[in-house]
Amino acid sequence: MTENRRKFLKTLGIGAAGALATPTQIWARATTPIESVLYDLQSGDTSEAYWKTIQSQFHFAEGLTYFNNGSLGACPKPIREATINFQNTLDDFPSKYMWGGWKDEIEEVRKKTADLFSVSEEEIALIHNTTEGMNLIASSMDLQPGDEIISADHEHTSALNPWKYWQESKGVKIVTPTLPILPKSVEEVVDVYSKAITPKTKVISICHLVNTNGMILPITEVTEMAHEKGILVAVDGAQAAGMLTFDLKEVGCDFYTVSAHKWLFSPKGVGIFYAKQESQKHLKPLIVARGYEDTSIRRLENYNTRNLPEVLGLGAALDYRNAIGAQKIHDRTYELKHYFRDKIKDNKKLILKTPELDTLSAGIQVLEVKDKYMLDVQMELSYNHGIECKPVTKFGLNVIRLSFAIFNSKKQIDTLVNVLNTIAG
């Protein structure tokens, strides 16, 4: 190696060893921040002290108590650092790692993502977000005038609008049944979809967990009913993936799409798209670039250039999640739900507008403060107490939406409830 070459590498801070490092070695170095905490997370401990350790790994602005994970999740510090390390590597060797240098590592992220849902890696595309996934589905469907799509009234606009844009102009009808706000049983919700189905129904577009009042929709039961009639099922899983444990093979849906920046706590800008193997024949890429002839699901994520450090950051986030344990996260979510509901049950001015059954709700709970306008309540919480949540006024709701995540503590809920009691008077 020439002296000039050595000096050049030294200015990059990597040296000859860095220049010759394999992608696997680069991965190991980039993920050092997370490797240093994974062992400590692998514990059967479920005490508040354990969850305080988790809480310490999420950094928020001073004075902020965050109950708005349903809008945008936080990324733990080790994942932030790993992603920055990947970004630095990419900028040190731009061409090498953008086109092929990280091929095996990207495939490893795909495998980890497939394991999350108990499916094959050949059924997973690594996209940008749920909105892209819903557009991918809606733009691909070869529907005819008079065909019908069922999309209930609580669907997110980013799940509904793709169907309007890509299919309504063709004469396809979007059927919008009304969901109950406080159903007493799963069967009550299934019945809404059953009554909406006609011989013209071709697709049911359904949210796993609605963003309006935190209601879980029975996607397994709806899918079984739909498939008996030859109807495809597309699921918006933005609010459920990472919060709840489930097996997509058991669910049976054709498509499931996720924004990983919510309950998977990944870097922003990376999403997950699941397509059942036998249903992939319906799909066409949203963006066409080199390699569009690829018959595998990878054709759906071929953007030529993209922010690969975010994709690798998703892999690191999944390592972090797996170290804690999917079931432990699931159980903690319900523990915080029950703790909150129990704390407010005796105050008649604090009115829950989220179904009580665990089969119908989890980590998102919405609350009305009697005789108070929710925007006023939200501003009081935010400006005077540093508590961030989301106001919801759709469907006659006048509520604040509270998202309970693994970085939230019972002590934070105590503080929240004390403030709400004061606001309620």
Side-chain angles (χ1 to χ4, degrees):
M1 180 179 292
T2 67
E3 186 61 28
N4 286 339
R5 172 72 170 159
R6 289 192 184 93
K7 288 180 179 178
F8 172 68
L9 292 173
K10 187 175 181 180
T11 64
L12 294 178
I14 56 175
L20 300 174
T22 66
T24 300
Q25 290 169 326
I26 292 291
W27 172 273
R29 293 173 190 174
T31 56
T32 297
I34 184 173
E35 293 296 336
S36 64
V37 303
L38 288 184
Y39 179 79
D40 292 336
L41 300 181
Q42 296 172 14
S43 165
D45 188 5
T46 58
S47 67
E48 284 302 299
Y50 175 86
W51 293 111
K52 187 175 182 180
T53 299
I54 300 297
Q55 186 179 17
S56 71
Q57 292 164 357
F58 288 81
H59 176 77
F60 295 97
E62 185 175 354
L64 175 65
T65 303
Y66 196 66
F67 288 115
N68 196 21
N69 199 81
S71 291
L72 193 65
C75 195
K77 288 185 284 187
I79 311 309
R80 291 194 201 183
E81 294 169 16
T83 306
I84 290 170
N85 288 342
F86 289 129
Q87 187 67 60
N88 288 337
T89 299
L90 178 60
D91 285 325
D92 284 348
F93 301 96
S95 298
K96 177 178 179 180
Y97 289 102
M98 179 57 70
W99 294 300
W102 273 328
K103 182 178 180 180
D104 291 343
E105 284 68 31
I106 297 298
E107 289 306 308
E108 183 61 26
V109 175
R110 192 188 314 280
K111 179 65 168 62
K112 292 174 183 177
T113 307
D115 290 344
L116 171 70
F117 298 116
S118 302
V119 299
S120 164
E121 58 264 41
E122 296 304 319
E123 297 176 305
I124 294 292
L126 301 171
I127 59 171
H128 291 102
N129 53 33
T130 307
T131 303
E132 180 184 339
M134 294 307 300
N135 271 276
L136 201 162
I137 301 164
S139 65
S140 295
M141 294 296 106
D142 185 20
L143 303 181
Q144 304 302 316
D147 287 345
E148 294 178 356
I149 299 160
I150 295 174
S151 179
D153 59 343
H154 281 255
E155 293 298 307
H156 195 282
T157 52
S158 291
L160 173 61
N161 286 344
W163 292 111
K164 287 185 173 182
Y165 180 82
W166 294 105
Q167 297 295 340
E168 238 181 5
S169 62
K170 294 162 52 177
V172 174
K173 181 181 178 182
I174 298 175
V175 177
T176 309
T178 300
L179 293 171
I181 294 293
L182 292 171
K184 299 297 184 184
S185 68
V186 168
E187 290 72 25
E188 186 178 344
V189 182
V190 174
D191 191 52
V192 171
Y193 287 91
S194 176
K195 290 178 178 177
I197 292 173
T198 75
K200 297 181 179 180
T201 305
K202 302 301 180 184
V203 182
I204 295 178
S205 183
I206 182 172
C207 192
H208 194 167
L209 193 157
V210 303
N211 77 313
T212 50
N213 77 331
M215 176 168 49
I216 297 173
L217 299 184
I219 58 173
T220 303
E221 291 84 350
V222 169
T223 296
E224 183 178 355
M225 175 177 61
H227 283 178
E228 289 175 355
K229 301 177 183 295
I231 300 167
L232 295 170
V233 178
V235 182
D236 167 359
Q239 298 291 3
M243 179 202 293
L244 309 175
T245 58
F246 52 91
D247 182 327
L248 279 181
K249 285 298 184 189
E250 293 181 1
V251 170
C253 62
D254 298 280
F255 314 111
Y256 193 99
T257 185
V258 176
S259 293
H261 59 249
K262 293 181 185 282
W263 304 96
L264 291 172
F265 310 116
S266 85
K268 283 59 178 171
V270 60
I272 299 164
F273 185 82
Y274 161 78
K276 189 193 302 186
Q277 192 80 53
E278 52 266 43
S279 302
Q280 291 179 25
K281 62 187 177 184
H282 298 287
L283 301 174
K284 296 176 288 189
L286 263 177
I287 297 174
V288 178
R290 60 187 176 86
Y292 74 93
E293 304 96 337
D294 187 350
T295 57
S296 81
I297 197 168
R298 292 159 190 79
R299 72 187 187 280
L300 305 178
E301 63 183 32
N302 186 2
Y303 315 113
N304 201 12
T305 59
R306 67 178 298 186
N307 195 333
L308 292 179
E310 293 174 347
V311 180
L312 298 178
L314 168 60
L318 292 174
D319 288 343
Y320 182 87
R321 181 179 184 276
N322 291 338
I324 298 171
Q327 191 61 47
K328 188 188 287 188
I329 293 171
H330 178 103
D331 294 344
R332 175 63 172 179
T333 301
Y334 278 101
E335 182 181 6
L336 293 176
K337 167 196 167 177
H338 295 150
Y339 185 81
F340 171 72
R341 292 183 73 107
D342 189 62
K343 294 287 287 188
I344 66 168
K345 66 181 180 181
D346 295 327
N347 189 334
K348 304 303 180 185
K349 293 186 177 181
L350 301 179
I351 306 164
L352 284 161
K353 291 296 180 73
T354 299
E356 181 178 1
L357 290 178
D358 283 351
T359 50
L360 290 171
S361 77
I364 293 180
Q365 300 288 304
V366 305
L367 178 81
E368 177 182 335
V369 181
K370 188 176 181 180
D371 300 327
K372 302 288 184 181
Y373 181 45
M374 280 305 102
L375 285 175
D376 294 336
V377 175
Q378 182 256 337
M379 290 180 67
E380 170 73 13
L381 289 169
S382 178
Y383 290 110
N384 294 336
H385 302 280
I387 298 172
E388 184 167 341
C389 60
K390 181 179 175 65
V392 179
T393 55
K394 291 182 177 180
F395 310 110
L397 292 168
N398 177 38
V399 296
I400 53 168
R401 191 186 72 187
L402 300 159
S403 304
F404 302 128
I406 57 174
F407 51 74
N408 292 128
S409 66
K410 291 180 179 178
K411 183 178 179 181
Q412 288 178 329
I413 291 176
D414 290 340
T415 300
L416 168 68
V417 171
N418 287 339
V419 174
L420 288 172
N421 284 333
T422 300
I423 292 173

